[in-house]
Amino acid sequence: MTLNQLVLRSMRKNIKSYYLYVFALVFSVSLYYSFVTLQYNPAIVNEIGTGRSSAALKAASYLLLFIVTFFVLYANKLFMNRRSKEIGLYQLVGMSKSLVARLIAIENIILWFSAIVIGVLVGLLTSRIFVMILLKIVEKDAFVELSFSIEALMMTVVVFSVLLLIVILQTAIRIKRVTLLALITTTAVADERVKKFNAFQMFLGFVGLISIGYGYYLSTTILDNLNVTPNVLLFKMVSILALTVGGTYFVFRFSVALILNFVRKSKKGLMSIQDVLSLSTIMHRMKANAMSLTTITVLSASTLAILTFTYISYYSADSVAMEAVPYDYIMYEDTGFELVEEFDKEGIQYTRYDIDLLAVPADVRPLLVKEAALNKTISTELGVQVVSLKAIQNKLPNLHLQEGEGYILGYNSLSAENIRIEAQKSIQFNTSAGEEEIFIKEVTEDLLLPNYHYYGFTVVVADSYFQKLLHDPLTKNQKVVGMELKEENQLIKAQEVFEANKVSVEMPIPGNDLATNTVSVESQENYRLNMLDSLGMTIFISGFLGLAFLIATGSILYFKQMSEADEEKGTYNILRKMGFTTNEIMSGIRRKQLFNFGFPLIIGLAHSYFAVKSGWVLFGTELVAPLLITMGVYIVLYSIFSILSAGYYRKVVEDAL
């Protein structure tokens, strides 16, 4: 029999094993090609441009290459483990190691180039979908054609050819170094049993749980100190990372065994078949699985946190635009009144609001929460933005203030991270007549005014007191005109008029007569679209890479469970011969699957939640909905892999007898 004939017969024989490997290759090729080809798609080039988008996509392609390499090499390792006995038998019948390596290399070449062809075809179809998603994110309306890129094809072929050479070299080294006995018994090697769970291991188990808990605590207090230096902040971040990563490994390596050991002892020797197939199997494999589960959990949590941060930015685009430009259109001083005239000519209906905004020197120390108020190192002298009650009664018609009373607007989560204040306290205004106290009735998140004098909140005062401040030489006045469209269906027409009549003006910055700020007629819709345009590519790339990585890690867990199922086939054969039914055996296996997928899932969700909770205010204004949606997608993906894994186990159990 020639080598080529042996290759064909071997491939036919291993067709059931090959589908897993082929899936990994086709998935990786299609993912890589569809992403790389985005750089050359005409719709993206025309609508987004080539400079920034091309650089971002090129940088992201390197990250995708890391994911693909990690996924493919793991799949190859698993595939070789499943074929180790076959490779050993080839050597047993007289084939040299070099000849066996050539046989495996030829099989890999056939498989890889077949996968490249199929993957490129699949990637060609899916790339159009990805382009449509990207244009949808940035709200660009363009026709997307099916685009084939020679450059992307060449890059894909080169990358996967190099990976193929690495795989062939890796396989050849393994065949050369591993003994014949080791190859034949690879799948039969069981993890070493833990004879006794000693006190030191119990201590390390507690250390793992405490480390994660303390890391979570630090993440919630990372921004509590207003005067924290960059070095201290960096030290805190590194400490949190070390505590959570190290704690996660200790939890998988020792804490799980500690908890399950207590559960096993509580059974007092009365272990059911479900307990044996779940508790014992998990404990005896945890030593070998601890590092891989830790890696998957930490990387998945990091990916999920990045996905959540980017989705928060996208989800918050509307609310951020409303905070930055509270009216549909805003004009400053005598700038942009040509827009008003054009609106009148075009018949665009609007409501006009003329507002005076004051920058008033103030000391907010009396407003601070007790701990911050006592900290004398915190500077509390600010230029606070002040507005009259009359100016915002169209927004808050039920608000009433007496002389000496105030109401704070715009104290959102980001403001709370900068300065912690509370209501039912006084703020001190520094006027030409001296210090004057205003009692703050309430503090709210609503930002209903432009933020030209914005520090973190706006103080609303009674009209009579505002008039007094208006004529005070220590205050700076900024006249603002807000315009609200009466009919939403006129927005497109109003935007066209706005684009044709935009003007800018240099204005002094309050409190700094030597500095100026360029302000212009502002549009809430224009601000929102510009925000999406600047964030759109980042959001798309993060989402694409995040989902790719989550699918890859879920697949790795699935492949790992398939490998374990094959190794335990002899055990299921014995149990079936003893009279246990498939459903009884599957009951224990489902418990094990619940742990193998559920425990990393829970820890990954917890890690990502505290990571997001500590810094989400820097990315947007909405937390709950983006967090729940992102975590929901994560749970659904892992649930799919868990269900597939349980299905494979059932097939192995049924075939065991």
Side-chain angles (χ1 to χ4, degrees), residues 201-470:
Q201 290 173 320
M202 293 179 65
F203 171 74
L204 293 179
F206 283 115
V207 167
L209 295 172
I210 293 170
S211 296
I212 291 179
Y214 188 61
Y216 289 168
Y217 168 75
L218 283 181
S219 70
T220 61
T221 60
I222 192 169
L223 295 176
D224 278 359
N225 189 349
L226 293 179
N227 291 335
V228 61
T229 64
N231 290 335
V232 172
L233 185 61
L234 179 62
F235 176 76
K236 278 190 173 184
M237 294 172 67
V238 172
S239 300
I240 293 169
L241 183 64
L243 286 168
T244 51
V245 173
T248 301
Y249 175 76
F250 275 45
V251 163
F252 281 117
R253 180 66 182 86
F254 301 108
S255 303
V256 170
L258 171 66
I259 295 170
L260 295 184
N261 193 52
F262 284 138
V263 174
R264 186 174 63 175
K265 284 186 176 180
S266 70
K267 301 287 184 179
K268 297 180 180 179
L270 301 176
M271 298 278 285
S272 66
I273 183 64
Q274 289 82 10
D275 295 330
V276 172
L277 289 173
S278 55
L279 295 179
S280 299
T281 306
I282 293 169
M283 289 180 65
H284 298 149
R285 287 188 179 273
M286 192 47 61
K287 181 178 180 180
N289 291 345
M291 182 56 72
S292 61
L293 288 177
T294 300
T295 303
I296 290 172
T297 300
V298 172
L299 291 179
S300 297
S302 302
T303 305
L304 184 58
I306 293 171
L307 273 173
T308 306
F309 281 135
T310 53
Y311 191 52
I312 285 174
S313 299
Y314 178 71
Y315 195 90
S316 304
D318 288 352
S319 56
V320 169
M322 289 181 66
E323 287 192 355
V325 188
Y327 295 87
D328 287 330
Y329 299 93
I330 291 178
M331 294 167 291
Y332 297 95
E333 296 290 351
D334 56 352
T335 303
F337 284 94
E338 298 85 352
L339 182 64
V340 178
E341 297 174 1
E342 292 297 323
F343 274 11
D344 293 335
K345 290 180 183 178
E346 297 292 337
I348 297 173
Q349 302 294 315
Y350 61 89
T351 303
R352 174 173 169 170
Y353 303 98
D354 291 88
I355 305 166
D356 282 305
L357 298 178
L358 298 181
V360 181
D363 185 356
V364 298
R365 186 174 295 278
L367 282 177
L368 299 179
V369 297
K370 184 177 180 181
E371 295 81 4
L374 295 175
N375 188 350
K376 300 301 182 181
T377 62
I378 300 176
S379 176
T380 56
E381 298 287 338
L382 309 173
V384 176
Q385 180 167 283
V386 179
V387 69
S388 69
L389 175 63
K390 180 180 179 181
I392 55 99
Q393 277 193 324
N394 62 299
K395 299 279 188 178
L396 298 173
N398 297 322
L399 178 61
H400 300 284
L401 295 174
Q402 302 294 327
E403 187 75 23
E405 292 182 339
Y407 186 91
I408 287 182
L409 299 171
Y411 184 71
N412 56 22
S413 345
L414 183 57
S415 304
E417 292 296 340
N418 292 326
I419 185 168
R420 304 290 177 88
I421 64 173
E422 54 189 357
Q424 301 300 306
K425 292 184 176 181
S426 297
I427 185 173
Q428 288 183 345
F429 287 147
N430 299 321
T431 68
S432 57
E435 294 183 352
E436 298 180 357
E437 289 192 351
I438 296 295
F439 181 77
I440 302 300
K441 292 177 61 178
E442 190 174 345
V443 177
T444 68
E445 294 185 2
D446 302 320
L447 185 60
L448 308 177
L449 295 164
N451 55 7
Y452 187 75
H453 296 311
Y454 183 74
Y455 176 79
F457 51 83
T458 299
V459 181
V460 184
V461 297
D463 296 336
S464 57
Y465 186 68
F466 182 83
Q467 291 299 319
K468 177 183 176 182
L469 292 176
L470 184 63

Side-chain angles (χ1 to χ4, degrees), residues 87-88 90-92 94-105 171-181 183:
I87 295 171
Y90 283 144
Q91 295 184 39
L92 192 63
M95 292 179 65
S96 65
K97 289 187 176 183
S98 60
L99 188 60
V100 174
R102 283 174 58 195
L103 183 147
I104 301 299
T171 305
I173 292 174
R174 177 177 179 178
I175 293 173
K176 182 179 180 180
R177 291 183 176 179
V178 179
T179 63
L180 176 61
L181 180 62
L183 283 169

Side-chain angles (χ1 to χ4, degrees), residues 27-38 64 116 119-127 147-157 160 544:
F27 171 75
S28 302
V29 172
S30 61
L31 199 67
Y32 187 79
Y33 175 80
S34 60
F35 188 81
V36 172
T37 196
L38 295 178
L64 181 60
I116 289 174
V120 167
L121 292 175
V122 174
L124 180 63
L125 298 175
T126 55
S127 63
S147 175
F148 177 76
S149 171
I150 296 294
E151 294 90 343
L153 176 62
M154 294 302 296
M155 289 178 63
T156 304
V157 171
F160 282 90
F544 187 97

